[in-house]
């Protein structure tokens, strides 16, 4: 969820998104893990309310995690490191 305001034009923006992203968490030792995930389905809605004029809402939905054009790459692969305290 994000909220923002353009300092130049005084426009207000609100964005909400949901992402289903399964993954794996590999335990390296007692205090560190390496995690990976990829996006299966995501939904985003962004509303812009300008200082002058009507507000607009953009909606985005993506449910195709694989690039079927031939490369067979998985959408939005993420890798991270997590430190446990």
């Amino acid at each position: 969820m994000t909220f923002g305001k353009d300092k130049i034009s005084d426009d207000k923006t609100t964005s909400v998104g949901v992402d289903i992203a399964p993954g794996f968490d590999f335990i390296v030792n007692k205090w560190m893990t390496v995690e990976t995930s990829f996006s299966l389905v995501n939904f985003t809605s962004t509303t812009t309310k300008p200082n002058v004029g009507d507000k607009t809402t953009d909606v985005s939905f993506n449910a195709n995690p694989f690039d079927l054009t031939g490369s067979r790459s998985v959408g939005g692969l993420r890798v991270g490191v997590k430190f446990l305290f």
Side-chain angles (χ1 to χ4, degrees):
M1 228 177 182
T2 60
F3 304 96
K5 185 174 184 180
D6 189 338
K7 291 185 178 188
I8 296 172
S9 65
D10 210 24
D11 294 349
K12 294 178 184 175
T13 303
T14 304
S15 183
V16 178
V18 176
D19 192 16
I20 296 175
F24 298 98
D25 202 358
F26 176 72
I27 299 171
V28 177
N29 54 33
K30 290 169 123 178
W31 53 270
M32 185 173 80
T33 68
V34 176
E35 53 190 13
T36 63
S37 65
F38 61 93
S39 180
L40 278 180
V41 176
N42 60 42
F43 171 81
T44 306
S45 175
T46 303
T47 302
T48 303
K49 193 177 204 182
N51 194 20
V52 177
D54 297 333
K55 73 176 183 177
T56 59
T57 301
D58 295 322
V59 176
S60 170
F61 179 76
N62 182 10
N64 186 7
F66 301 101
D67 180 7
L68 298 176
T69 59
S71 67
R72 302 283 191 237
S73 63
V74 177
L77 182 64
R78 292 171 271 201
V79 178
V81 176
K82 185 169 43 178
F83 297 98
L84 307 172
F85 296 100

